[in-house]
Amino acid sequence: MSSQLISLASLLLLLFTFPSQSESDNLFCDAGTVHGEPKCGIKSSSSSSKILIKGGTVVNAHHQEIADVYVEDGIIVAVHPNIKVGDDVTVLDATGKYVMPGGIDPHTHLAMEFMGTETIDNFFSGQAAALAGGTTMHIDFIIPVDGSLTAGFEAYKKKAKNSCMDYGFHMAITKWNEVVSEEMEVMVKEKGINSFKFFMAYKGSFMINDDLLLEGLKRCKSLGALAMVHAENGDAVFEGQKRMIELGITGPEGHALSRPPLLEGEATSRAIRLAKFVNTPLYVVHVMSIDAMEEISKARKSGQRVIGEPVVSGLALDDSWLWASDFLTAAKYVMSPPIRASGHDKALQAALATGVLQLVGTDHCTFNSTQKTYGIDDFRKIPNGVNGIEERMHLVWDTMVEVGQISVTDYVRITSTECARIFNIYPRKGAILVGSDADIIILNPNSSFEITATSHHSRSDTNVYEGRRGKGKVELTIAGGRIVWENDELKIVPGSGKYIEMLPFSYLYDGIEKADAKYLSSLKAPVKRFTSTA
């Protein structure tokens, strides 16, 4: 049945007067765009709570085998060959295809207020795009309201009420006092948040200084939470921006020139050393440069617990488009840290393939053409962010698996399992195992994909991967035991997504107390002294 086009006002009416769950099972909204307006219609989703996936190659991060997967009431209840079922089961043939855990995107910004505007994708349209691309859970960043974590959490709960897939939250820390410290404990112990992000960039808005970062690292350690950093030297970036303006460089290329890789490397190094001083794990978000990657590599070789997260734009693109003569073409590639010059992408791919970097995010933070023009005369005013939540799974397969850089099991690890382990939701998420949530994709390695702004499901009117073609297509997505993407059609229900609470003290904290004890025993202090007399 073809989708019916309706106005944005009608869509909002649909979302805010949504019926009961039983009535809503037949509602569908394709969040794709037609001249910036969502297109919606009615679709029937699979009403069966029982699904059998037959004959596929079941892939986990540690093992792959040809087996059937049986799902009942949203949970995987059996994984082995030749499962027999009754007539009331939806049977899917996956012969010759891969059956994998749905992707988990550790880094997104939906409905985020930033640089005087708000990202074009909300929790419904962004998640619709994710499901079409094989991602079944994401972790979004809460921005505090006037520094208040509690107010930020409540605001994001409202933003996420129309979610159509599972999600979790990180929390940003933008100022420091005793109230914030106490709120961090509430977030961990009562709200299911086990990670806090510190911006070392964006001077005058989100940026924190070293004093605050140290306090935050200590507090994260005491709570068993994971400290995350956006690693760029914000003071130097501010100076670089002034330098570009003085040189008359006001276009999008000025964005990249004002914040070169060495400033990302410096901040990454500083954060790593401060985390070592406190002896707490550290997660570096959107690693975009060789400079930052090498700092992470050195730290990991020394035994320090540092996680490096490249994003798909850094793996699949270079900065050449920032010099495009058309402003809108160039501006759509503006993000922070910037997409780097050719060579950084290949180095990041190699680091991911060899385990120097551990998992892939997107930093999905989309703004449309109109929003990007806010900076037409000054690159400092271009809203920072690119798309990726729908494209990540396909591009990682094409970039890393199709060319032989990583194995299929490694693909599952870097797109799903490692994220679940780091944020302490494994094996509920990130696995095709008995008892795991039925978040599953079927990927056909022989099918091709093409990425275009006219066919994607984001509300943005542009796509930084426009025209990209490749091998390996997600043909079917199951989220929470429901078939939500099949035959290039979405079958989704606003409000059906669940908030996933994440517990503190993940595997990254194993043995930390022993390292602390070893440090204390090595001090040989305080020394007992006596005062000499003349």
Side-chain angles (χ1 to χ4, degrees):
M1 177 166 52
S2 61
S3 296
Q4 302 170 339
L5 297 180
I6 64 173
S7 68
L8 178 59
S10 299
L11 172 63
L12 293 174
L13 181 63
L14 171 66
L15 296 183
F16 288 103
T17 60
F18 203 72
S20 67
Q21 185 65 41
S22 60
E23 294 172 315
S24 70
D25 284 348
N26 290 325
L27 282 177
F28 160 84
C29 183
D30 178 348
T33 57
V34 176
H35 305 300
E37 295 295 317
K39 53 185 180 182
C40 293
I42 304 296
K43 296 284 180 184
S44 295
S45 63
S46 173
S47 60
S48 173
S49 63
K50 302 175 182 179
I51 300 171
L52 177 65
I53 306 171
K54 289 192 65 66
T57 300
V58 177
V59 186
N60 282 298
H62 60 284
H63 179 66
Q64 68 182 68
E65 62 177 331
I66 296 177
D68 299 344
V69 180
Y70 179 56
V71 170
E72 194 168 310
D73 296 327
I75 301 295
I76 297 171
V77 297
V79 183
H80 58 78
N82 303 315
I83 297 175
K84 306 299 181 185
V85 294
D87 295 334
D88 59 339
V89 177
T90 300
V91 179
L92 304 170
D93 184 5
T95 303
K97 302 173 186 178
Y98 292 112
V99 181
M100 303 173 172
I104 307 174
D105 189 339
H107 190 154
T108 62
H109 297 282
L110 302 181
M112 177 191 181
E113 296 166 26
F114 184 49
M115 297 184 71
T117 186
E118 183 172 313
T119 56
I120 198 69
D121 276 326
N122 55 34
F123 274 79
F124 184 64
S125 68
Q127 291 181 353
L131 291 170
T135 288
T136 53
M137 180 179 169
H138 71 111
I139 311 177
D140 209 81
F141 286 89
I142 293 176
I143 305 300
V145 175
D146 296 325
S148 169
L149 311 192
T150 302
F153 184 83
E154 292 304 316
Y156 270 75
K157 272 178 57 180
K158 293 178 181 177
K159 290 173 187 278
K161 68 180 179 179
N162 288 312
S163 292
C164 55
M165 75 181 201
D166 292 356
Y167 63 96
F169 285 136
H170 311 290
M171 175 69 73
I173 303 294
T174 55
K175 73 175 186 179
W176 189 260
N177 54 39
E178 281 305 310
V179 173
V180 171
S181 179
E182 292 167 4
E183 284 185 309
M184 286 178 71
E185 183 172 4
V186 172
M187 292 300 121
V188 171
K189 294 183 176 179
E190 300 178 20
K191 304 301 184 182
I193 291 175
N194 66 2
S195 51
F196 295 92
K197 181 179 181 181
F198 302 89
F199 289 89
M200 301 172 77
Y202 300 122
K203 186 173 183 175
S205 56
F206 297 153
M207 179 180 159
I208 53 91
N209 58 25
D210 287 354
D211 180 51
L212 191 158
L213 180 56
L214 274 168
E215 292 297 330
L217 290 170
K218 291 189 295 182
R219 190 58 168 147
C220 283
K221 182 179 180 179
S222 71
L223 296 169
L226 181 58
M228 314 175 80
V229 288
H230 172 143
E232 288 182 287
N233 187 313
D235 289 319
V237 167
F238 185 73
E239 178 62 28
Q241 290 174 329
K242 289 194 297 181
R243 180 187 299 172
M244 292 304 113
I245 297 298
E246 290 169 0
L247 291 171
I249 302 171
T250 60
E253 70 278 9
H255 177 77
L257 293 171
S258 68
R259 47 208 314 150
L262 66 92
L263 300 187
E264 186 185 354
E266 185 280 330
T268 303
S269 173
R270 181 158 38 101
I272 286 171
R273 282 161 170 75
L274 293 178
K276 185 172 185 178
F277 178 66
V278 175
N279 189 31
T280 194
L282 182 71
Y283 184 114
V284 183
V285 304
H286 48 42
V287 178
M288 297 294 286
S289 67
I290 294 171
D291 304 54
M293 178 269 289
E294 287 181 341
E295 296 295 338
I296 293 167
S297 178
K298 281 193 299 184
R300 288 179 63 84
K301 285 177 181 176
S302 74
Q304 191 173 347
R305 298 179 188 188
V306 181
I307 299 296
E309 169 211 271
V311 290
V312 69
S313 54
L315 296 169
L317 299 171
D318 63 46
D319 70 350
S320 57
W321 286 105
L322 286 168
W323 273 260
S325 56
D326 174 63
F327 172 83
L328 284 179
T329 299
K332 73 178 180 180
Y333 291 92
V334 169
M335 64 173 290
S336 295
I339 297 166
R340 302 300 186 185
S342 181
H344 289 270
D345 51 346
K346 299 298 183 184
L348 294 175
Q349 292 172 23
L352 187 61
T354 55
V356 172
L357 304 175
Q358 288 69 52
L359 73 168
V360 182
T362 62
D363 195 9
H364 183 88
C365 185
T366 49
F367 300 97
N368 65 16
S369 295
T370 300
Q371 292 169 306
K372 289 285 188 177
T373 59
Y374 294 171
I376 195 165
D377 296 318
D378 185 344
F379 67 84
R380 296 172 297 181
K381 298 177 182 178
I382 301 172
N384 292 191
V386 302
N387 60 287
I389 200 169
E390 182 170 358
E391 297 81 11
R392 179 183 70 124
M393 299 291 281
H394 290 118
L395 289 172
V396 172
W397 181 276
D398 188 58
T399 302
M400 302 296 295
V401 183
E402 184 64 24
V403 298
Q405 293 199 77
I406 62 172
S407 67
V408 180
T409 53
D410 281 339
Y411 174 80
V412 169
R413 175 178 56 81
I414 66 176
T415 60
S416 184
T417 306
E418 190 60 26
C419 182
R421 291 184 69 236
I422 289 167
F423 296 103
N424 222 8
I425 52 175
Y426 180 86
R428 177 182 180 182
K429 302 290 186 182
I432 306 289
L433 298 172
V434 173
S436 298
D437 285 358
D439 295 339
I440 303 169
I441 62 172
I442 298 177
L443 185 146
N444 187 342
N446 298 313
S447 286
S448 299
F449 65 85
E450 181 179 4
I451 299 171
T452 67
T454 56
S455 63
H456 71 197
H457 296 80
S458 164
R459 294 179 64 210
S460 176
D461 59 348
T462 66
N463 193 306
V464 293
Y465 310 102
E466 183 70 35
R468 178 75 176 256
R469 294 181 174 89
K471 291 287 291 295
K473 187 176 189 300
V474 176
E475 294 186 337
L476 187 136
T477 305
I478 297 171
R482 297 169 62 94
I483 298 172
V484 293
W485 172 253
E486 185 179 24
N487 299 321
D488 290 336
E489 292 182 339
L490 279 167
K491 306 170 183 180
I492 51 180
V493 180
S496 60
K498 300 188 299 295
Y499 173 57
I500 305 299
E501 295 189 3
M502 299 177 290
L503 297 176
F505 294 104
S506 75
Y507 81 92
L508 292 170
Y509 271 94
D510 292 349
I512 285 285
E513 71 286 349
K514 294 180 181 179
D516 284 341
K518 182 179 179 181
Y519 165 73
L520 291 173
S521 67
S522 73
L523 294 178
K524 298 180 181 179
V527 175
K528 293 181 180 179
R529 291 183 171 86
F530 62 88
T531 303
S532 300
T533 58

